[in-house]
Amino acid sequence: MKPFFAALLASALCLGAAAQPHPFDIDLSKPGAAIPATMYGIFFEDINYGADGGLYAELVKNRSFEFPASPLTGWTAFGKVEVRDDGPFDRCPHYVRLSDPGHRDKMTGLDNGGYFGIGVQAGEEYRFSVWARVPGGGESVLRVTLADPSAAGETQRLCEQRLTVAGAEWKQYEVVLKPTATLPKAVLRIFLAGRRTTVDLEHVSLFPVDTWMGHRNGLRKDLAQALFDLHPGVFRFPGGCIVEGTDLDTRYNWKDSVGPVENRPLNQNRWQYTFDYRFFPDYYQSYGLGFFEFFQLSEELGSEPLPILSCGLACQFQNDSMDAHVPVDELGPYIQDALDLIEFANGPADSRWGKVRAEMGHPAPFHLKYIGIGNEQWGPEYPERLEPFVKAIRAAHPEIEIVGSSGPNSEGEQFDFLWPEMRRIGVDLVDEHFYRPYDWFLSQGARYDSYSRKGPKVFAGEYACHARGRKYNHFYASLLEAAFMTGLERNADVVRMATYAPLFAHAEGWQWRPDLIWFDNLRTVRTASWHVQQLYSAYKGSRVLPLKMAGKPVTGAEGQDGLFASAVRDGDRVYVKVVNTSEAPQALSLQLKGLGRKQTARAAGRVVFTSDRLYEDNTLDAPETFVPRQAAFTGEGSRFDVTLEPLCFSIYVIEI
Ligand code: AHR
């Protein structure tokens, strides 16, 4: 037996005889803070191919031939293919002209390899669409194929359709493809066919027909479902550093991400080159998943949208000179962007930006309530830029709550400088980021117990346990996140939102880990951290209940045997969340105070999340190794004596 498990067994055996239960006093008569609906949410950024190649269901890479290094990046052209740049969409001007290859037995056409291949499922429908014209008039025929380029058998073809393009005007055409086999790395192949009459093609697109909610410019259903199942109360978008840009030209410009999808200009993705040891020279933002799609998804998930906008500072990690940033007296257009975004979300359908929203299919407002200005900013240059934004937004939209930043670190000089600045400026929430190691998470159970109850509230806007030497997803990291989150919950009057980050990662295309949800072209996996987030959301409750051991909150403090705990009330139910971070089982006595004379409480269920495989996680091949399970929990009265397993996150459900 391994020494670690021998120790567990030994401590388990001696527990019954010697250990006194840890008395948890839960006071029903003194319900505390209301738990905000926004408490547990999601953070989305197009990192790790989270949008293009990920949640955004477009399967064609470089569909508009706009990639700057070469308009044919992602494509293999054969025969006579010419790139032209006077197309029908002014902000995406490139297109291709396909002509007769000049010999009966030669072929003209194009292959597209998608993002790490094109994943297709047998029997599913895929909508191929293209803007096209026959420049000389008349008709031209295309053969559109999904193929297996590595097939060793008789044919590479998985399915094929013919499509006739007619006339010299640009029009959109579509045809549905239904592959006969499942393949993670198919290619889309287009042949010029028939009489091989010259044809022009632009915005060549392939989507599964079955997208999330059936939207045409839609999202990958399995990935959106993984978000829906989290019941996120708030949805932060679009990041992250991507908000800021490596330079101002490449910052996320929300106005480029709305309107007809064919005319959204391409942007460089800063995660293309951030780490040269995981380098992706073909990583761009198509903006196909833009601000409209974000608001729409927020609505469908039941989340409050929380857009984060540039404050006029380019990424401060990447720029040492003030010349990289917008001077304070030139912030006008940036402030206007923020005001216009509020109008885009909430304005009447006949207002300038409300009209854009309405034309995209959503005349009703999106009821935006929050906006963040700046991502991970620091130094005096941040508050001096934030202030004019706050003044302008307050004047025009006093109903909108504003989120400011406390910088990239969870403590230290910048953090200590920025928090008072955020109070002075009077933001409503302060965004805190912490990607921290085990010992940090173990030491921060009481972090918010002593925060001032006056002034701005906290948005824990990016966090994850990043173990030194184990910077990848694993169960133990998720356990410590669960432990830390008891402190968020207990302080729901101070912490109003919390979002783990980042959200998504493509198994072949990641730049940053750990992440909440992994995927490849066909599969998805919910990590142990995902399950922790999900449990907090599913057992969120509506009011905090005081929970104390020997008069103190249970925060993993010295003498508390590695225990962290919080309790909430949800109607006639009490949820007691306890995390045992120690390697020994712990006896607990859950004691309810304040039960009415005629009231009796009853154990109504228990969720257990534990594993002895501390440094592993769910994988694409084994996605359900680390999942919470229901466990026995019985008893009646006001006291429940239980034994909590080592290294375990458990939720005790008590009915009153
Ligand atoms: O979540 C990944 C990155 O971490 C974000 O883009 C940034 O805000 C933080 O540094």
Side-chain angles (χ1 to χ4, degrees):
M1 191 182 297
K2 290 183 193 162
F4 170 70
F5 295 110
L8 285 189
L9 186 65
S11 47
L13 291 175
C14 62
L15 177 87
Q20 285 299 311
H22 299 82
F24 282 8
D25 296 323
I26 302 158
D27 197 343
L28 301 171
S29 65
K30 296 197 183 107
I35 297 164
T38 50
M39 189 74 184
Y40 306 111
I42 50 176
F43 159 99
F44 180 89
E45 177 168 20
D46 190 3
I47 183 174
N48 306 322
Y49 288 83
D52 291 286
L55 181 61
Y56 185 48
E58 174 63 86
L59 294 166
V60 174
K61 184 166 75 186
N62 191 15
R63 62 187 173 189
S64 294
F65 309 100
E66 296 299 329
F67 280 26
S70 159
L72 287 177
T73 302
W75 297 92
T76 303
F78 43 90
K80 207 166 162 205
V81 176
E82 184 195 345
V83 178
R84 301 172 67 97
D85 65 1
D86 56 343
F89 306 113
D90 61 324
R91 300 200 294 177
C92 300
H94 292 95
Y95 63 97
V96 287
R97 174 161 291 179
L98 274 52
S99 311
D100 192 315
H103 187 288
R104 193 188 59 196
D105 289 333
K106 292 188 180 175
M107 296 282 189
T108 285
L110 294 158
D111 269 8
N112 189 284
Y115 298 90
F116 315 101
I118 291 180
V120 294
Q121 308 267 10
E124 284 293 316
E125 294 186 320
Y126 295 86
R127 184 183 291 112
F128 169 85
S129 68
V130 61
W131 284 81
R133 68 173 179 184
V134 184
E139 286 190 352
S140 181
V141 178
L142 300 172
R143 278 198 291 124
V144 185
T145 301
L146 284 171
D148 175 2
S150 61
E154 185 63 22
T155 179
Q156 296 176 326
R157 201 173 298 148
L158 303 173
C159 57
E160 184 171 278
Q161 290 286 352
R162 291 173 89 82
L163 190 154
T164 302
V165 179
E169 297 302 314
W170 285 103
K171 280 183 279 194
Q172 194 175 26
Y173 296 83
E174 68 177 54
V175 70
V176 170
L177 297 162
K178 208 169 176 179
T180 48
T182 295
L183 202 70
K185 290 179 184 288
V187 297
L188 172 71
R189 182 165 289 164
I190 304 165
F191 291 109
L192 180 62
R195 291 167 178 275
R196 308 206 280 190
T197 308
T198 296
V199 68
D200 292 339
L201 306 181
E202 160 65 314
H203 198 86
V204 183
S205 170
L206 183 74
F207 272 89
V209 170
D210 190 16
T211 56
W212 169 254
M213 297 282 168
H215 299 303
R216 279 181 72 101
N217 183 50
L219 306 179
R220 219 176 108 165
K221 210 174 171 181
D222 57 338
L223 296 181
Q225 187 68 46
L227 301 184
F228 183 80
D229 292 346
L230 283 171
H231 318 299
V234 66
F235 183 177
R236 171 183 179 147
F237 179 93
C241 290
I242 217 166
V243 167
E244 305 157 38
T246 298
D247 45 32
L248 289 169
D249 284 348
T250 52
R251 77 186 192 280
Y252 197 110
N253 181 350
W254 77 264
K255 287 175 178 166
D256 286 346
S257 80
V258 298
V261 72
E262 295 84 353
N263 207 16
R264 300 185 193 171
L266 193 77
N267 194 16
Q268 204 174 61
N269 190 313
R270 59 148 295 141
W271 297 107
Q272 182 188 110
Y273 43 74
T274 304
F275 305 117
D276 63 3
Y277 51 89
R278 286 202 61 83
F279 190 70
F280 296 90
D282 60 350
Y283 196 2
Y284 287 87
Q285 295 177 264
S286 71
Y287 281 144
L289 194 183
F291 264 80
F292 177 86
E293 292 74 20
F294 152 62
F295 283 124
Q296 181 172 259
L297 182 59
S298 301
E299 191 170 79
E300 291 162 353
L301 298 177
S303 318
E304 294 296 344
L306 169 47
I308 308 286
L309 295 191
S310 162
C311 64
L313 290 171
C315 178
Q316 290 174 273
F317 286 111
Q318 293 176 306
N319 293 285
D320 300 327
S321 158
M322 283 310 292
D323 295 344
H325 311 305
V326 187
V328 176
D329 58 1
E330 291 173 25
L331 278 173
Y334 288 71
I335 295 172
Q336 193 57 46
D337 276 354
L339 298 174
D340 290 344
L341 181 69
I342 298 169
E343 184 176 285
F344 176 75
N346 293 352
D350 58 0
S351 61
R352 175 164 176 227
W353 287 101
K355 186 161 180 275
V356 177
R357 180 194 72 235
E359 283 168 0
M360 292 183 76
H362 202 289
F366 281 120
H367 306 293
L368 175 68
K369 297 188 184 121
Y370 305 94
I371 196 165
I373 304 297
N375 174 46
E376 274 180 350
Q377 321 301 166
W378 64 79
E381 55 268 40
Y382 175 51
E384 68 186 11
R385 282 169 179 73
L386 177 63
E387 210 165 351
F389 276 89
V390 172
K391 283 190 180 138
I393 295 170
R394 292 270 188 251
H397 295 285
E399 75 284 5
I400 297 285
E401 295 197 36
I402 303 173
V403 182
S405 165
S406 60
N409 297 315
S410 48
E411 51 269 305
E413 205 183 313
Q414 293 302 343
F415 185 88
D416 293 343
F417 166 70
L418 282 172
W419 251 101
E421 284 295 286
M422 294 304 108
R423 286 186 195 287
R424 178 182 68 75
I425 293 173
V427 297
D428 300 289
L429 291 123
V430 177
D431 181 11
E432 296 190 354
H433 292 185
F434 23 90
Y435 298 105
R436 289 289 186 259
Y438 296 152
D439 51 354
W440 188 92
F441 275 83
L442 284 166
S443 69
Q444 296 294 307
R447 179 180 177 90
Y448 295 109
D449 293 4
S450 54
Y451 263 49
S452 164
R453 268 47 199 169
K454 295 197 186 104
K457 305 296 180 196
V458 172
F459 168 34
E462 289 188 34
Y463 70 94
C465 179
H466 280 206
R468 292 191 190 100
R470 284 198 195 94
K471 217 163 132 326
Y472 49 79
N473 288 86
H474 54 278
F475 171 76
Y476 186 58
S478 79
L479 185 79
L480 300 196
E481 288 155 8
F484 171 74
M485 288 173 78
T486 56
L488 303 182
E489 184 168 277
R490 184 173 53 256
N491 290 286
D493 54 333
V494 169
V495 183
R496 289 187 36 210
M497 306 172 173
T499 57
Y500 178 103
L503 189 56
F504 283 123
H506 192 296
E508 291 175 62
W510 64 271
Q511 296 84 44
W512 179 293
R513 60 181 186 178
D515 305 288
L516 205 61
I517 299 163
W518 285 78
F519 59 92
D520 63 11
N521 286 351
L522 293 177
R523 300 172 298 174
T524 175
V525 56
R526 301 165 179 201
T527 60
S529 292
W530 184 96
H531 286 289
V532 165
Q533 296 291 322
Q534 205 277 340
L535 287 175
Y536 267 90
S537 242
Y539 294 87
K540 179 154 62 75
S542 54
R543 295 289 290 268
V544 177
L545 291 175
L547 182 159
K548 295 207 168 138
M549 178 162 70
K552 293 191 177 137
V554 183
T555 61
E558 221 181 305
Q560 293 191 327
D561 293 335
L563 289 168
F564 295 70
S566 56
V568 297
R569 177 120 193 204
D570 192 11
D572 60 0
R573 296 193 147 207
V574 173
Y575 304 139
V576 186
K577 300 189 182 79
V578 193
V579 182
N580 179 8
T581 62
S582 81
E583 294 173 4
Q586 304 285 355
L588 311 175
S589 178
L590 312 181
Q591 299 170 9
L592 299 183
K593 311 273 173 209
L595 270 177
R597 270 197 304 144
K598 290 191 182 151
Q599 269 182 322
T600 173
R602 180 180 75 76
R606 180 181 174 221
V607 182
V608 177
F609 193 36
T610 186
S611 176
D612 54 15
R613 294 161 66 175
L614 297 186
Y615 307 121
E616 295 172 51
D617 207 319
N618 294 321
T619 64
L620 287 163
D621 293 323
E624 304 220 328
T625 312
F626 298 83
V627 287
R629 58 185 170 78
Q630 299 290 328
F633 173 42
T634 52
E636 237 181 66
S638 58
R639 174 176 167 160
F640 300 84
D641 287 340
V642 295
T643 301
L644 179 57
E645 295 82 347
L647 299 163
C648 180
F649 171 29
S650 191
I651 304 176
Y652 297 89
V653 181
I654 301 170
E655 218 163 62
I656 297 166

